[in-house]
Amino acid sequence: FRRVLFRSRAAAEGNASLVRELLALGAACDVHEPGQGHTPLLLAIRNQFADVVRELLAGNASFDLPSYDGESPLLTASMVGDAAIAQILLTAGADVDTSLRPNMMPTPLILAAELGLADVVRVLLKANASLVQVPRSAVVHCVLPAPVAVGG
């Protein structure tokens, strides 16, 4: 139990060198913390520590392993609006259209579009995210610049 918290804390606090050392000592990457079951990767993504995300992926952390409530790493990157981390996850092989509970949780693209996170939307569209379930107005709102008032 204590080891799980230590690994999670190193990732959550952005301590890339400690994460690297723990991985070198054989620490497991894909351990769920008590409670919601976030992994060190999910915590690093939530706190937007791209260097820790890279270290964990290099240590074979699963790029698609969700929390207990079904929150995937790519969905988390979309939620926090971090396009760079979303790209890191996609490059590692994350499923761009992942939604573990389609009736309850949106895809990363739907979430980013609804939150107006244009940079994340662009990254996901470039990775061929499906537009099937995305409300058209949400994507247009994110990708196109806001109208500029003329005159006045």
Side-chain angles (χ1 to χ4, degrees):
F1 179 71
R2 188 177 181 117
R3 286 182 180 170
V4 172
L5 293 178
F6 185 64
R7 283 191 295 266
S8 295
R9 185 171 179 183
E13 293 179 354
N15 193 333
S17 61
L18 179 56
V19 168
R20 188 177 323 110
E21 288 177 37
L22 290 168
L23 293 171
L25 292 171
C29 300
D30 292 335
V31 179
H32 289 92
E33 70 172 3
Q36 291 181 322
H38 291 110
T39 63
L41 181 61
L42 287 167
L43 293 169
I45 294 167
R46 279 181 169 263
N47 293 308
Q48 299 180 283
F49 293 124
D51 53 340
V52 175
V53 169
R54 284 188 199 93
E55 290 292 340
L56 289 166
L57 291 172
N60 294 318
S62 176
F63 48 75
D64 279 332
L65 184 65
S67 66
Y68 291 151
D69 61 359
E71 186 181 310
S72 73
L74 189 56
L75 186 67
T76 303
S78 296
M79 180 176 60
V80 299
D82 198 314
I85 289 179
Q87 185 60 62
I88 292 167
L89 293 167
L90 290 166
T91 300
D95 179 3
V96 71
D97 292 318
T98 186
S99 181
L100 300 173
R101 297 185 200 171
N103 297 332
M104 297 173 66
M105 292 190 126
T107 65
L109 179 60
I110 292 170
L111 181 63
E114 288 177 350
L115 294 173
L117 302 169
D119 291 341
V120 177
V121 168
R122 286 185 193 98
V123 166
L124 296 170
L125 288 174
K126 188 175 177 183
N128 298 316
S130 174
L131 291 170
V132 173
Q133 298 176 357
V134 178
R136 183 182 174 126
S137 61
V139 175
V140 171
H141 169 74
C142 283
V143 177
L144 299 178
V148 177
V150 179

